[in-house]
Amino acid sequence: MAEASGSFEVTAFEPVETEQLEGAAFGQVRISKTFTGGLSGHGEVRMLSVGDASGGPASYVAVEHVTGELDGRTGSFVLQHAAWDTTGVTIRVVPGTGAGELAGISGEFRLSVDASGTHTYVLAYELG
């Protein structure tokens, strides 16, 4: 499996809708990102989230369309995010969504945020 690593910046965070229900707060957000490093390009995210009764994060799901260059190959693919509170995040390439020179891509995306708020990633991938 190949690996690409680097950082990304959230360039837009636009709440679309919020709804308070008994015991939970639901939200829908649009997010834009810029990637640098082994993956350079742009990400467009559509996220649904829920906070617990105290206002803390509980979980989110999202899909992200990534367009750009991955280790010298241009194209696009979609990532699927799933997270439970702050203890676990799974982000995977959605099978069949690769286009251009990234057709057939599969893999897993790992992200981390350091104390200063810098977002870094490692994308472990295969091209089929």
Side-chain angles (χ1 to χ4, degrees):
M1 214 173 237
E3 286 194 348
S5 62
S7 62
F8 68 89
E9 180 182 348
V10 174
T11 56
F13 187 92
E14 304 169 17
V16 174
E17 178 181 10
T18 57
E19 182 179 4
Q20 287 296 128
L21 298 174
E22 185 175 350
F26 285 81
Q28 181 180 356
V29 179
R30 290 185 185 145
I31 301 168
S32 295
K33 299 176 181 176
T34 301
F35 294 95
T36 57
L39 170 63
S40 62
H42 187 72
E44 285 293 325
V45 182
R46 301 300 182 261
M47 181 175 82
L48 298 173
S49 64
V50 63
D52 64 21
S54 68
S59 72
Y60 83 89
V61 294
V63 290
E64 177 174 2
H65 186 255
V66 178
T67 304
E69 186 174 309
L70 175 61
D71 289 336
R73 296 176 183 90
T74 59
S76 64
F77 56 92
V78 175
L79 296 171
Q80 178 183 6
H81 301 235
W84 301 268
D85 60 51
T86 56
T87 62
V89 177
T90 301
I91 305 172
R92 292 198 174 107
V93 175
V94 177
T97 62
E101 295 176 313
L102 300 177
I105 190 171
S106 62
E108 186 170 313
F109 186 94
R110 297 181 304 272
L111 69 87
S112 60
V113 182
D114 68 16
S116 70
T118 300
H119 293 76
T120 58
Y121 68 86
V122 175
L123 174 59
Y125 70 95
E126 291 184 18
L127 287 169

